[in-house]
Amino acid sequence: MKSDIEIARAAHKLPITEIAAKLDLVAGDLLPYGHDKAKLTHDVVNRLQNAPRGKLVLVTSINPTPAGEGKTTTSVGLGDALNRIGKKAVICLREPSLGPNFGMKGGAAGGGYSQVIPMEDINLHFTGDFHAISSANNLLAAMIDNHIHWGNDLRFDTRRVTWRRVVDMNDRALRDITVALGGPSNGYPRETGFDISVASEVMAILCLAEDLSDLKARLARIIVGYNLDKQPITAADLKADGAMTALLKDALQPNLVQTIENNPVLIHGGPFANIAHGCNSVIATKTALALGDYVVTEAGFGADLGAEKFFNIKCRKVGLSPDAVVVVATIRALKMNGGVAKSELAAENTQALKKGSVNLIRHIQNVQKFGLPVVVAINHFVTDTEAEIAVLNEVCDNLGVQAILCRHWSEGGAGAEELAHAVAKLADHNEAKLQLLYDNKLPLWEKVQKIAREIYGAADVSADSSVLKQLEQWQAAGFGDLPVCMAKTQYSFSADPTALGAPSGHIIPVREVKLSAGAGFIVVICGSIMTMPGLPRVPAAEHIGLNENNEIQGLS
C-alpha cells in the first residue's frame, strides 16, 4: 500500500473551475489560489444565503485512541460514496493546524483513497487563513500593550489583561511568559502567555460569523481585559475591530478543493474540539447546504466534545439542524477501550471488544438524546475478524442502530456505498428533531453540570469558589444566556485521559472559566487540559521534509 502522500500526489486533479462547475458555480464566483484551490467570493456566499438547503449529515466518533478512528477519512469516503450513488454531495471540513501536523498527527486531510487534495497545501499554509487569524489576534495584543505604554487612557489594570497572543504551533515554552522587559521604552512588564491559534476567540468568531458585518460586530465585542474599576474593556474600545476585520476579510471566504475522486470539498476554519468549539465555519456549512443536496461535515474528536458543541453551540447559534449522524468506530480502538495494549490489537479478542464497546454505546445514546437518528460506520482494518465484526453488529443491533462495515480507506467511495445508502435513507426520512441539551435561560453553572452528568456520565462538577463567583458575575452582567464550551481531554469521558471505556460517577474538575463575548460562549477549562499543546517526545516534524525531487515527504 502506498503512503497517503504518495496516493494523493498520484491522484488526477481537475482544474478547480471544473470542480466549481459541478456546483453550478462559474469562474467569477471564485478567487483562485493556483489551479487546484480557490476561495468562494463574498458575493456568491451572499447570493446563496436564501437558497433552499440540502440535507446535513454530521460525522462524529468514539473517543480517539492511538489505534485510530478515521473520522475525516470517513467523512471524505462518505461524501465520495454519496456522489457515486447519484447524490449531489458536498463535504465540509476544518482546516488542519500546523501544531498537530508537526506534532502527533503528521497531517489531517483524510487517508488512503479517501483524501482531500492538494494534501500538502491543505496540511501546511493552504490559503493563509490561519496566518490571518493569528495576525488579527496578535494585532489586538499589540494594541493593548501599545495603549498602556502611551498613557493608558482606558485605565487598564495590567494585572487583569486577559487577551493572549497566539501561534499556530505546539510550543509549551510559550504557555506562560513575561512581556515588555528591557526598560521603559519597551512598555510595562506583565505576565501573559500564548495559546495555539486554533484556541483563539478570533478563530471561533471567524467560524461563527455569518458575514463581514457580523464578523466586525463580534470582533468589536471581544473583552480583552478590565480597568481599575473592574469594568470590561473591549476591542472596540481600543478601535482595533476595523483593522482586525480588514486582516480577516479574505479569510472569511470558504476554500474550495476536491477529493481524490474529484468531488467538491469546502475546507474552512479549524478550532480544536478539546479546547475550542470544534466545528468548521458556519459560512462554509450554509454555503454547502445551498450548493448540494447532501452536506457531510464533521465535528472534532469524540461525540462527547465535537458533536455536543456542534449541537449546543453551532446549531443553537445559527439555526442549523442535522438530518442524520454517523458515529465512526474501529474494532481496534474499541479493543483498546477494553484494555488491550496497542501492540496486541492485531489478535482477535471478542471479549475485549465487548468490554470496550461501552464507549461506542454511550456515544450513540448521547447523540440520540439530541433527537437525531444514528448510523455506525465501522472503519475497517485488515486485522478485523468476522467474529469481531459480528460482535460489533450485535452491540449496535441491541440499540436499534445499524452498523456498516466501510472500506473507504482502501477502496475510496466504492468502499462506503452501503453507508451512503443508509445515510441518505436516514436523512430523507425526516425523523431528526434536534433537541438541545439545555435552555439558554439555565444558569451557567447548571449548564456545566448538565453536560458533565448527561454527556460525560459524571456524578458532579467541582470548582474553586473563585470560578463560581466569576460565573455569577457574568450571569449578573447579562452573559447568562450564553452556551458553555467545555475544554476537556479528548481521550476520555472523564478529565483523566487514561480512563477509557465509559467511566461514570467521576467528578469533573473545573480549573478556570473564560468569557468569549465576541464568539458568544463561556469556555470552561477542565482538569489539566492546555490551550497551548506541547510537542511529543518524537514529533512528526522530525520526519517531514523534501525528497530528492524537492517534493514534500513525511505528511500523512
Side-chain angles (χ1 to χ4, degrees):
M1 186 73 181
K2 296 178 180 177
S3 68
D4 287 348
I5 197 167
E6 289 172 332
I7 292 170
R9 191 171 287 139
H12 173 66
K13 285 185 290 188
L14 293 179
I16 199 63
T17 50
E18 293 186 28
I19 302 300
K22 294 185 177 186
L23 300 175
D24 302 316
L25 298 174
V26 298
D29 296 326
L30 307 179
L31 291 175
Y33 279 66
H35 302 292
D36 51 11
K37 52 190 178 295
K39 281 186 168 293
L40 304 188
T41 66
H42 287 297
D43 286 343
V44 71
V45 169
N46 293 335
R47 188 179 78 219
L48 293 169
Q49 278 189 349
N50 297 317
R53 290 184 184 177
K55 301 289 187 179
L56 181 59
V57 179
L58 176 68
V59 178
T60 185
S61 77
I62 61 174
N63 291 101
T65 71
E69 289 69 47
K71 186 168 65 266
T72 302
T73 305
T74 301
S75 297
V76 177
L78 173 57
D80 280 338
L82 284 165
N83 281 293
R84 283 181 64 90
I85 66 172
K87 310 295 185 182
K88 186 180 181 183
V90 185
I91 303 166
C92 273
L93 303 175
R94 294 172 299 157
E95 301 177 50
S97 164
L98 293 179
N101 284 353
F102 288 120
M104 291 287 290
K105 297 183 76 170
Y113 287 92
S114 290
Q115 291 190 66
V116 185
I117 53 176
M119 74 95 83
E120 301 102 311
D121 293 359
I122 293 167
N123 278 316
L124 298 179
H125 301 289
F126 200 24
T127 58
D129 292 347
F130 282 20
H131 299 299
I133 289 164
S134 300
S135 296
N137 183 102
N138 294 340
L139 170 64
L140 182 54
M143 291 181 72
I144 293 168
D145 288 307
N146 185 64
H147 180 89
I148 294 169
H149 175 73
W150 291 108
N152 196 9
D153 290 344
L154 292 172
R155 301 174 64 244
F156 268 100
D157 183 340
T158 56
R159 302 165 301 175
R160 292 186 169 90
V161 175
T162 56
W163 194 251
R164 290 158 63 92
R165 289 164 169 83
V166 299
V167 62
D168 190 31
M169 199 61 62
N170 292 5
D171 193 344
R172 62 173 57 82
L174 293 177
R175 286 174 183 159
D176 295 289
I177 63 171
T178 302
V179 294
L181 298 179
S185 64
N186 293 346
Y188 288 83
R190 63 181 181 87
E191 293 182 359
T192 181
F194 275 75
D195 295 326
I196 192 167
S197 298
V198 290
S200 167
E201 185 178 354
V202 176
M203 173 66 81
I205 286 172
L206 181 126
C207 288
L208 290 169
E210 302 208 49
D211 52 38
L212 281 169
S213 61
D214 186 30
L215 175 71
K216 185 175 187 297
R218 288 174 177 272
L219 292 170
R221 293 198 296 268
I222 292 173
I223 293 175
V224 299
Y226 296 84
N227 65 18
L228 293 170
D229 300 318
K230 298 183 181 179
Q231 296 302 303
I233 299 173
T234 66
D237 293 330
L238 284 163
K239 301 177 182 176
D241 48 316
M244 294 172 72
T245 306
L247 282 171
L248 295 168
K249 175 177 176 289
D250 289 343
L252 191 62
Q253 299 169 122
N255 306 296
L256 177 66
V257 287
Q258 62 190 290
T259 69
I260 284 177
E261 298 184 12
N262 309 123
N263 291 311
V265 186
L266 293 181
I267 298 188
H268 196 218
F272 286 174
N274 59 346
I275 52 179
H277 81 278
C279 310
N280 74 305
S281 77
V282 166
I283 281 182
T285 304
K286 285 192 168 183
T287 302
L289 285 167
L291 292 170
D293 297 327
Y294 297 85
V295 172
V296 179
T297 191
E298 68 171 18
F301 293 124
D304 59 320
L305 288 172
E308 182 271 313
K309 295 170 185 178
F310 186 91
F311 306 140
N312 280 325
I313 297 177
K314 183 172 179 175
C315 291
R316 180 192 302 269
K317 289 287 186 182
V318 297
L320 292 172
S321 181
D323 297 281
V325 177
V326 178
V327 178
V328 180
T330 65
I331 287 170
R332 288 167 53 87
L334 291 174
K335 287 193 293 188
M336 182 167 274
N337 270 283
V340 177
K342 186 178 180 182
S343 59
E344 304 296 324
L345 290 174
E348 182 178 278
N349 192 328
T350 56
Q351 288 304 114
L353 176 59
K354 288 178 183 177
K355 182 181 177 183
S357 291
V358 294
N359 187 269
L360 172 62
I361 291 169
R362 182 177 289 176
H363 283 298
I364 292 171
Q365 292 173 335
N366 281 347
V367 173
Q368 290 174 330
K369 287 179 182 179
F370 290 92
L372 302 172
V374 179
V375 61
V376 171
I378 307 172
N379 188 11
H380 179 260
F381 279 72
V382 294
T383 54
D384 298 345
T385 69
E386 291 299 322
E388 290 172 333
I389 294 167
V391 165
L392 195 48
N393 277 322
E394 183 180 1
V395 166
C396 294
D397 284 343
N398 290 337
L399 295 173
V401 170
Q402 187 178 7
I404 298 172
L405 192 67
C406 304
R407 293 183 170 87
H408 44 276
W409 183 83
S410 58
E411 300 176 14
E417 285 191 16
E418 185 181 354
L419 177 65
H421 282 292
V423 165
K425 183 178 179 181
L426 271 186
D428 292 345
H429 274 188
N430 298 317
E431 294 177 355
K433 296 202 170 31
L434 179 62
Q435 302 163 8
L436 297 177
L437 191 67
Y438 52 81
D439 186 80
N440 287 340
K441 297 299 182 184
L442 193 69
L444 293 171
W445 183 242
E446 291 183 32
K447 291 172 183 173
V448 175
Q449 291 176 314
K450 186 113 176 167
I451 293 172
R453 289 169 179 162
E454 296 209 18
I455 302 299
Y456 305 157
D460 206 354
V461 187
S462 65
D464 187 79
S465 59
S466 62
V467 168
L468 299 178
K469 182 179 179 182
Q470 180 65 84
L471 291 176
E472 289 173 2
Q473 289 173 346
W474 288 333
Q475 191 88 31
F479 297 107
D481 285 354
L482 297 184
V484 294
C485 179
M486 304 293 283
K488 182 188 75 68
T489 178
Q490 65 269 34
Y491 298 114
S492 173
F493 282 108
S494 74
D496 176 4
T498 66
L500 303 184
S504 59
H506 49 277
I507 304 296
I508 298 291
V510 172
R511 189 177 84 240
E512 184 182 358
V513 287
K514 295 181 178 181
L515 172 59
S516 293
F521 53 68
I522 307 290
V523 180
V524 180
I525 300 176
C526 304
S528 59
I529 195 72
M530 296 288 184
T531 52
M532 168 55 84
L535 291 170
R537 183 180 295 274
V538 182
E542 292 185 10
H543 310 291
I544 295 173
L546 302 180
N547 63 19
E548 62 276 6
N549 297 318
N550 290 326
E551 297 171 322
I552 294 171
Q553 63 182 10
L555 289 171
S556 61

